[in-house]
């Protein structure tokens, strides 16, 4: 079961999608309008590029695994995790491996995928859930390859979360810093830092620094060229194509700061091999290599 956040398939789906993310909490109309506008400006009218990427990754993973069927289940859109679990059980699966297309564990992210999958599978099959893969050597290598040799200051980023997660000892931030450190070491980077991105307006403090403040600080410290490596995401979606490629890039331009980001792993064969390795390990299927 390859799980992802999910994206509205059409512009008309955005209100229902946002309502799902909010889990029943009311949505101020201006936030709804703002979200619809962001999707519109990305050119999403009738088809979502994010969902297409997830499906491409699913198909490539299935090919890489040989005889193991792979289903996609979305946390906030269709096909839902529950529908995908039903489809997997219907094929007679006795064991389901849960893998999320997000490498770092948090009680506010991965735990939600796990809960949806556990409820959906019930006692119909055995469940093996991969909680995090933030230090997976192949993943670290793949990112290191994309930043190696740069003369720019590398900024690693990930989705922010409400700061209260730290009070309960949530490993999210530590895992993000560990991935960043591992990639920086593997690529022998001279200068790097970490910042969060994509904070939501929920009325409570979120983890920082936010990338926009961070870019201003870097510029004030004399940095003139930045390469962003979003370690907390693996695909081109709203948070990459709007928050980084539009918002952050626009600020950098206004500051006079050179700004680029790495290509996301998406369905890159090397990345699919990393995912296949994680699944094989759980299934104890020997690698073909
Ligand atoms: O491209 C797309 O259509 C979907 C992009 C997308 C990804 C994503 C990943 C993560 N989120 C995480 C946490 C939160 C929390 C809230 C929240 C809100 C939103 C909204 C949109 C959205 N997220 Fe997201 N997230 C994506 C999209 N996210 C749209 C609602 C509008 C907005 O705030 O901008 C706040 C919920 C609330 O209000 O109660 C918390 C985390 C990840 C990375 C892990 C993962 O991928 O699961 C953590 C991709």
């Amino acid at each position: 079961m390859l799980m992802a956040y999910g994206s509205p398939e059409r512009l008309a789906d955005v209100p229902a999608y946002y309502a799902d993310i909010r889990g029943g909490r009311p949505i101020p109309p201006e936030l709804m309008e703002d979200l619809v506008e962001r999707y519109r400006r990305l050119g999403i009218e009738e088809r979502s590029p994010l969902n297409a990427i997830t499906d491409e990754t699913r198909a490539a993973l299935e090919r890489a695994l040989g005889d193991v069927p792979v289903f996609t289940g979305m946390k906030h859109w269709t096909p839902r995790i529950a529908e995908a679990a039903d489809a997997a059980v219907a094929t007679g699966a006795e064991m389901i491996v849960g893998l999320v297309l997000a490498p770092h564990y948090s009680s506010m992210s991965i735990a939600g995928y796990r809960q949806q999958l556990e409820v959906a599978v019930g006692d119909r099959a055995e469940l093996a859930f991969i909680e995090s893969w933030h230090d997976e050597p192949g993943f670290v290598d793949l990112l290191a390859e994309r930043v190696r040799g740069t003369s720019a200051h590398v900024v690693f980023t990930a989705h922010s979360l409400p700061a209260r997660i730290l009070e309960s000892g949530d490993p999210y931030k530590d895992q993000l810093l560990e991935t960043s450190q591992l990639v920086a070491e593997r690529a022998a980077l001279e200068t790097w830092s970490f910042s969060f991105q994509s904070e939501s307006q929920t009325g409570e403090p979120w983890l920082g620094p936010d990338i926009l403040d961070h870019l201003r600080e870097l510029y004030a410290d004399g940095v003139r060229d930045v390469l962003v490596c979003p370690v907390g995401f693996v695909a081109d979606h709203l948070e990459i194509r709007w928050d980084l490629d539009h918002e952050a890039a626009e600020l950098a331009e206004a500051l006079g700061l050179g700004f680029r980001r790495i290509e996301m792993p998406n369905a890159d064969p090397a990345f699919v091999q990393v995912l296949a390795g994680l699944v094989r390990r759980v299934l104890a299927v020997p690698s073909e290599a």
Side-chain angles (χ1 to χ4, degrees), residues 104-106 134 158-159 161 163 165-166 169-180 194 196 207-209:
H104 305 86
Y105 182 86
S106 169
H134 68 288
H159 202 295
L161 279 173
I165 62 163
L166 297 182
D170 193 287
Y172 186 62
K173 187 174 174 185
D174 288 343
Q175 290 191 356
L176 288 166
L177 293 177
E178 195 181 342
T179 306
S180 308
F194 176 85
F196 286 98
L207 295 170

Side-chain angles (χ1 to χ4, degrees), residues 3 17 22 24 47 67 70-71 106-107 110-111 121-122 130 181-182 213 230 241 250 257:
M3 289 169 286
Y17 170 72
R22 294 283 288 185
R47 194 169 161 270
D67 57 358
V70 181
F71 300 83
S106 169
S107 57
I110 304 301
V121 173
I130 299 168
Q181 178 80 44
L182 287 169
D213 297 327
R241 292 187 45 219
E250 208 170 64
L257 183 64

Side-chain angles (χ1 to χ4, degrees), residues 105-122:
Y105 182 86
S106 169
S107 57
M108 283 193 77
S109 64
I110 304 301
Y113 290 90
R114 180 178 201 141
Q115 205 227 355
Q116 285 193 27
L117 186 58
E118 277 176 359
V119 170
V121 173

Side-chain angles (χ1 to χ4, degrees), residues 130-176:
I130 299 168
E131 293 228 314
S132 78
W133 42 279
H134 68 288
D135 55 357
E136 185 65 19
F139 179 57
V140 170
D141 280 347
L142 185 131
L143 295 180
E145 229 163 77
R146 292 174 190 208
V147 296
R148 185 173 289 120
T150 184
S151 56
H153 176 96
V154 175
V155 179
F156 296 102
T157 67
H159 202 295
S160 184
L161 279 173
R164 65 183 143 89
I165 62 163
L166 297 182
E167 289 156 23
S168 52
D170 193 287
Y172 186 62
K173 187 174 174 185
D174 288 343
Q175 290 191 356
L176 288 166

Side-chain angles (χ1 to χ4, degrees), residues 56-105:
E56 211 184 309
T57 310
R58 182 208 67 76
L61 180 59
E62 197 169 68
R63 284 195 297 276
L65 287 171
D67 57 358
V68 180
V70 181
F71 300 83
T72 38
M74 306 294 192
K75 194 183 197 185
H76 293 296
W77 203 242
T78 57
R80 297 270 175 188
I81 290 172
E83 292 167 47
D86 286 347
V89 170
T91 64
E94 288 168 2
M95 184 189 197
I96 295 178
V97 179
L99 174 61
V100 182
L101 282 169
H104 305 86
Y105 182 86

Side-chain angles (χ1 to χ4, degrees), residues 110-263:
I110 304 301
Y113 290 90
R114 180 178 201 141
Q115 205 227 355
Q116 285 193 27
L117 186 58
E118 277 176 359
V119 170
V121 173
D123 57 8
R124 296 184 293 168
E126 191 186 333
L127 188 59
F129 191 91
I130 299 168
E131 293 228 314
S132 78
W133 42 279
H134 68 288
D135 55 357
E136 185 65 19
F139 179 57
V140 170
D141 280 347
L142 185 131
L143 295 180
E145 229 163 77
R146 292 174 190 208
V147 296
R148 185 173 289 120
T150 184
S151 56
H153 176 96
V154 175
V155 179
F156 296 102
T157 67
H159 202 295
S160 184
L161 279 173
R164 65 183 143 89
I165 62 163
L166 297 182
E167 289 156 23
S168 52
D170 193 287
Y172 186 62
K173 187 174 174 185
D174 288 343
Q175 290 191 356
L176 288 166
L177 293 177
E178 195 181 342
T179 306
S180 308
Q181 178 80 44
L182 287 169
V183 173
E185 279 167 14
R186 187 66 53 92
L189 293 183
E190 283 174 18
T191 157
W192 65 274
S193 53
F194 176 85
S195 76
F196 286 98
Q197 60 164 91
S198 312
E199 178 178 316
S200 288
Q201 293 177 42
T202 56
E204 61 180 331
W206 283 54
L207 295 170
D210 181 78
I211 185 155
L212 300 182
D213 297 327
H214 190 54
L215 292 178
R216 289 187 194 96
E217 278 163 27
L218 289 173
Y219 186 81
D221 289 346
V223 172
R224 292 293 176 266
D225 210 5
V226 157
L227 174 62
V228 177
C229 177
V231 288
F233 301 98
V234 297
D236 284 310
H237 45 54
L238 184 76
E239 318 298 76
I240 299 297
R241 292 187 45 219
W242 183 265
D243 298 357
L244 291 180
D245 294 358
H246 184 86
E247 266 182 8
E250 208 170 64
L251 171 68
E253 194 181 354
L255 290 169
L257 183 64
F259 182 91
R260 284 180 305 117
R261 71 159 166 89
I262 63 157
E263 288 293 315

